Amino acid sequence: MTTYGFHCSHEQIAPSQLLADVQAAERAGFDMAMSSDHFFPWSSRQGHSGFTLSWLGAALATTSLRIGSVNAPGQRYHPAIVAQATATLGEMFPGRYWVALGSGQAMNEHITGDRWPDKETRVRRLEECVDVIRRLHAGEDVSHDGLVRVDRARLYDVPAEPVPLLATAITAPTAARAAAWADGMITINQPHEKLREVVAAYRDNGGRGPLALQLHLSWAPTRSEAEAIAHDQWRSNVFDAPLSLDADTPEHFDAASRDVTVATVEGAVRVSAEPAQHVEWIREYAALGFDEIYLHFVGQQQARWLDVAATEVLPALKES
């Protein structure tokens, strides 16, 4: 049975407000949550970038939800530090934390001043980081000399239950490659045929664990307001690689998205004023085989959406 979570968008909402929002999401009936991890927002209109790894401690301590986060080890984060941070969350909150690892985007990683590598190098770096993190979580003494370097690292507080290391994947080739190491996979909403390809690539190559989807949506009492919210907040997020991976500041994304239309945004965000329509769309994604679906209302003010989710969306989904 598919379970439904709340997406915590750090690039759109101040961390103090987002903490109140995830607490409200639990009261609304969400089963779990997930968190983005940005140094920069996608757009100056979004205007936030709280530090996820600090925020997670507060969120896990003040809810009973299982909460995961996305992370790109290897440049902004050294894998030993990722291992320490995630092990600490796993030790404090057994069975309630997971991390989804990816190869990153220049907008967040360029801040170190290091060269932004090509895609193949980034993927190989990620795979080295996964190995380092797993070994440290297992309590091993770890040294490594490759695309990342580790010198005699060891964690003294490790989780009693392993922290699941999921893969982030948008394309079928990425999903197929990640199947070799991941404990599950998370992707984002795309046309159904593309999602079928991503799911098949992961499973056909031995991918284990849950399949999760982050679903971008916009709801408001009127269609025009729902469109305006989506266009204002998410028109910088409609681009494919290489632009989505290599553009490195909010100003670049704002310039690139200057002429993006509402119709184009609707290719990335499900937009409707009808809760029943959102329920129908969400059911379609569940039917593709996703075990977990994280609903991301792309507006910055979450209260109205949480009320509708509590009264009309989640009850219908759980009933079905």
Side-chain angles (χ1 to χ4, degrees):
M1 184 176 68
T2 304
T3 52
Y4 299 96
F6 174 75
H7 177 65
C8 305
S9 183
H10 281 275
E11 61 271 35
Q12 293 183 274
I13 301 170
S16 55
Q17 180 59 52
L18 198 57
L19 181 61
D21 289 341
V22 75
Q23 293 164 353
E26 181 176 33
R27 295 192 297 271
F30 282 95
D31 300 308
M32 57 207 178
M34 69 168 287
S35 167
S36 58
D37 186 344
H38 275 243
F39 196 90
F40 282 112
W42 295 99
S43 165
S44 59
R45 295 182 308 280
Q46 293 178 339
H48 296 280
S49 61
F51 186 49
T52 297
L53 290 167
S54 298
W55 181 89
L56 280 164
L60 286 160
T62 58
T63 71
S64 62
L65 297 175
R66 182 168 59 90
I67 307 178
S69 64
V70 177
N71 184 278
Q75 187 158 330
R76 177 169 47 128
Y77 291 121
H78 190 280
I81 300 303
V82 174
Q84 184 184 30
T86 55
T88 295
L89 291 169
E91 193 277 337
M92 293 176 70
F93 307 102
R96 290 181 53 209
Y97 175 69
W98 53 263
V99 61
L101 303 174
S103 59
Q105 295 162 307
M107 66 180 297
N108 297 311
E109 310 307 321
H110 79 273
I111 61 163
T112 64
D114 297 327
R115 181 182 65 85
W116 178 237
D118 61 80
K119 177 64 174 177
E120 173 61 22
T121 302
R122 298 198 304 269
V123 173
R124 288 192 289 112
R125 181 173 69 182
L126 169 63
E127 291 166 346
E128 291 184 19
C129 289
V130 169
D131 180 65
V132 168
I133 293 166
R134 280 201 192 283
R135 291 171 62 196
L136 286 169
H137 279 188
E140 295 182 24
D141 293 294
V142 177
S143 292
H144 179 84
D145 190 0
L147 293 169
V148 293
R149 300 179 68 186
V150 183
D151 180 30
R152 295 167 294 173
R154 179 185 174 191
L155 297 181
Y156 285 82
D157 289 295
V158 296
E161 300 179 34
V163 172
L165 305 184
L166 278 62
T168 62
I170 297 176
T171 67
T174 298
R177 186 161 174 173
W181 61 262
D183 297 321
M185 183 191 72
I186 186 164
T187 187
I188 61 173
N189 59 288
Q190 303 180 76
H192 288 188
E193 189 52 44
K194 287 188 177 181
L195 286 175
R196 289 189 186 97
E197 292 173 0
V198 171
V199 168
Y202 184 71
R203 290 299 193 209
D204 291 349
N205 285 277
R208 63 188 185 275
L211 294 173
L213 176 76
Q214 181 188 352
L215 171 55
H216 308 299
L217 64 89
S218 184
W219 170 88
T222 66
R223 170 79 188 191
S224 60
E225 186 180 356
E227 289 177 348
I229 290 169
H231 188 251
D232 177 69
Q233 283 295 294
W234 218 247
R235 68 177 181 265
S236 299
N237 298 66
V238 300
F239 305 111
D240 293 327
L243 192 154
S244 61
L245 299 178
D246 294 341
D248 57 9
T249 67
E251 291 75 20
H252 287 143
F253 280 96
D254 282 336
S257 62
R258 188 174 295 125
D259 297 321
V260 169
T261 65
V262 170
T264 299
V265 174
E266 289 190 41
V269 181
R270 290 294 201 173
V271 179
S272 178
E274 301 298 330
Q277 176 63 79
H278 285 291
V279 170
E280 181 180 339
W281 283 329
I282 295 164
R283 285 174 175 160
E284 290 174 1
Y285 290 113
L288 296 176
F290 288 101
D291 304 293
E292 303 176 354
I293 298 179
Y294 294 87
L295 305 182
H296 175 203
F297 168 61
V298 299
Q300 293 182 295
Q301 307 300 320
Q302 297 286 311
R304 291 188 308 173
W305 156 246
L306 287 172
D307 286 343
V308 168
T311 57
E312 300 187 57
V313 175
L314 293 174
L317 291 170
K318 292 180 180 183
E319 184 178 289
S320 62

